[in-house]
Amino acid sequence: MKKELLKIVQMASRDQPAWLQKKRSLALILQEHFSKAEQQQKWLTKWENPSLEINSDDSALIHDGDDYVALPINLAVQKYPELLQENLMEKAVRWQENQLNATHLALMDAGQFIYVPDNTELKSPLELSLVTKSNNPHNLIIVGAGAKVSVVEESRYQTEQPIYAATEILMGTGAQVKFYQDNHYQSDFVRQAVHAYQARESVLNIEGIIPAVSHNYNSFYSFLDGSNAHWNVKLASLVNNASQRKVTTQVDGYGEGTSADVREWGWKTPNSQLEWGKLATVDGEPLELHQQRVVASNKTLLINNMPRNSVDFSSAHDFFEEYLPIKSWLMEHC
């Protein structure tokens, strides 16, 4: 990695805690020793001379009470270092996993931090509505043992440069989280990651709209650490105008009674591409996996890559109305 970029990162992080200054610099120094992410160069090339400034926090959710904490991530690293130092990009979106993740950590300059203490149940959803021009926004959500919370992310990312937006969800024993995501982007090149770490008996339910941009890579992942942890994902995508979407879903870990369930629905025009990746374990662990992948157009319908009888959907709306779960969050947002 060029020395000039390292100087930019060190200058931008000079007012941050020493541990984070060191971690961001180390990520750049070691970056070339890590594996490469798919198509990473389209992103890294544009980030060689970034403008790293602390973005405005006006749109961040702010609350610092006994029931929960919500702060801009740049403020949270100062106020809650004991939570951030051992968790930021260590357990879900791991900075040493590939070169793109390492660079994302080094250039991270915006995002949201949320902490829900043990045995806390929040009756109303937490709504994340960031508005930022950051190329590397990062959200970190930590939910304590036995806690219950719903989080809705509907952020607007206004950069026109390639962007990597990542969200980490770390869950304690028996925690229950519902996470909904429908972000909007101005960039034509978007990477979006929602990665989780789940302790035993935790349940994570995700519903997400895949962003409607020209080139889009999406990664959904959970490390299921212990018995009876469950990861349930529902995704919908509308692909047109020669756009490309790729979505990967992976799990890791072990434990009796642990499971992953993924349901995906996509509509595409003939000149576009949509790839729902096969749900898989990272290292071949014998976890209980379930997946249904549906892709439709005006004249075709594929379910788990198998063609079905001739169909005649007049529009994407008709398809989603027939196949999405009734009265679901996805149905309301498609």
Side-chain angles (χ1 to χ4, degrees):
M1 184 57 65
K2 295 180 179 179
K3 293 182 179 179
E4 291 79 4
L5 183 54
L6 180 59
K7 291 180 181 178
I8 292 173
V9 170
Q10 291 173 336
M11 180 64 67
S13 62
R14 64 188 183 278
D15 294 326
Q16 293 183 328
W19 65 267
L20 186 55
Q21 294 182 43
K22 181 178 179 180
K23 189 171 184 175
R24 293 178 66 180
S25 295
L26 190 63
L28 272 186
I29 294 169
L30 297 180
Q31 182 245 35
E32 63 184 12
H33 299 290
F34 303 144
S35 62
K36 294 182 178 180
E38 182 178 358
Q39 299 292 323
Q40 68 174 29
Q41 208 55 38
K42 293 179 181 178
W43 277 257
L44 296 183
T45 299
K46 294 293 186 178
W47 293 346
E48 288 182 354
N49 188 28
S51 176
L52 288 185
E53 299 178 359
I54 301 301
N55 285 262
S56 171
D57 295 327
D58 293 344
S59 61
L61 180 64
I62 298 179
H63 178 86
D64 198 356
D66 294 334
D67 51 348
Y68 72 95
V69 173
L71 293 171
I73 199 163
N74 288 317
L75 177 58
V77 296
Q78 303 278 4
K79 194 163 186 178
Y80 294 97
E82 70 281 3
L83 292 174
L84 275 293
Q85 186 170 358
E86 65 179 48
N87 290 310
L88 180 62
M89 293 194 70
E90 295 290 347
K91 298 177 180 178
V93 180
R94 295 186 286 269
W95 70 273
Q96 299 179 60
E97 183 172 333
N98 57 55
Q99 295 180 13
L100 192 67
N101 280 4
T103 309
H104 173 76
L105 169 62
L107 303 183
M108 180 186 72
D109 59 352
Q112 180 79 57
F113 171 72
I114 290 176
Y115 170 63
V116 182
D118 293 354
N119 301 313
T120 301
E121 181 175 358
L122 300 183
K123 300 296 185 181
S124 300
L126 302 182
E127 298 182 358
L128 310 187
S129 302
L130 292 177
V131 179
T132 177
K133 293 184 178 181
S134 171
N135 297 331
N136 283 277
H138 192 95
N139 301 322
L140 176 60
I141 301 169
I142 301 177
V143 181
K148 297 180 181 180
V149 62
S150 295
V151 180
V152 180
E153 184 188 6
E154 294 180 294
S155 294
R156 287 180 288 153
Y157 295 114
Q158 298 177 330
T159 180
E160 296 182 356
Q161 296 293 317
I163 180 174
Y164 181 7
T167 296
E168 299 185 275
I169 305 173
L170 311 183
M171 301 170 60
T173 299
Q176 297 183 35
V177 174
K178 295 179 180 179
F179 180 75
Y180 306 94
Q181 186 179 67
D182 184 15
N183 291 331
H184 300 275
Y185 297 87
Q186 291 186 13
S187 173
D188 289 331
F189 290 87
V190 173
R191 284 182 181 267
Q192 192 169 255
V194 179
H195 289 195
Y197 168 88
Q198 296 180 235
R200 60 184 175 85
E201 300 179 354
S202 63
V203 178
L204 174 57
N205 295 312
I206 295 173
E207 293 188 41
I209 305 293
I210 303 303
V213 299
S214 297
H215 299 83
N216 183 222
Y217 297 85
N218 298 267
S219 174
F220 293 84
Y221 164 87
S222 187
F223 187 91
L224 302 168
D225 190 9
S227 61
N228 296 307
H230 302 287
W231 184 63
N232 306 309
V233 180
K234 294 181 175 69
L235 305 171
S237 181
L238 171 60
V239 193
N240 53 27
N241 300 326
S243 299
Q244 300 176 13
R245 308 273 194 286
K246 182 172 183 178
V247 181
T248 61
T249 50
Q250 291 184 311
V251 290
D252 211 344
Y254 52 89
E256 183 178 356
T258 294
S259 68
D261 187 285
V262 175
R263 311 284 167 167
E264 298 159 310
W265 300 271
W267 172 273
K268 71 184 191 70
T269 56
N271 61 342
S272 60
Q273 298 179 28
L274 172 60
E275 180 181 346
W276 294 125
K278 184 178 180 180
L279 173 63
T281 57
V282 175
D283 295 315
E285 298 89 346
L287 297 175
E288 181 183 341
L289 306 180
H290 303 277
Q291 184 179 29
Q292 183 182 64
R293 295 173 286 174
V294 182
V295 179
S297 64
N298 292 85
K299 297 297 183 181
T300 63
L301 175 65
L302 299 176
I303 299 180
N304 294 331
N305 293 331
M306 298 295 292
R308 294 303 172 98
N309 294 333
S310 61
V311 295
D312 188 15
F313 296 114
S314 60
S315 66
H317 178 269
D318 290 345
F319 163 70
F320 287 126
E321 191 172 60
E322 181 169 341
Y323 277 89
L324 288 180
I326 297 174
K327 296 182 179 180
S328 65
W329 184 89
L330 281 181
M331 175 66 80
E332 295 175 358
H333 286 74
C334 278

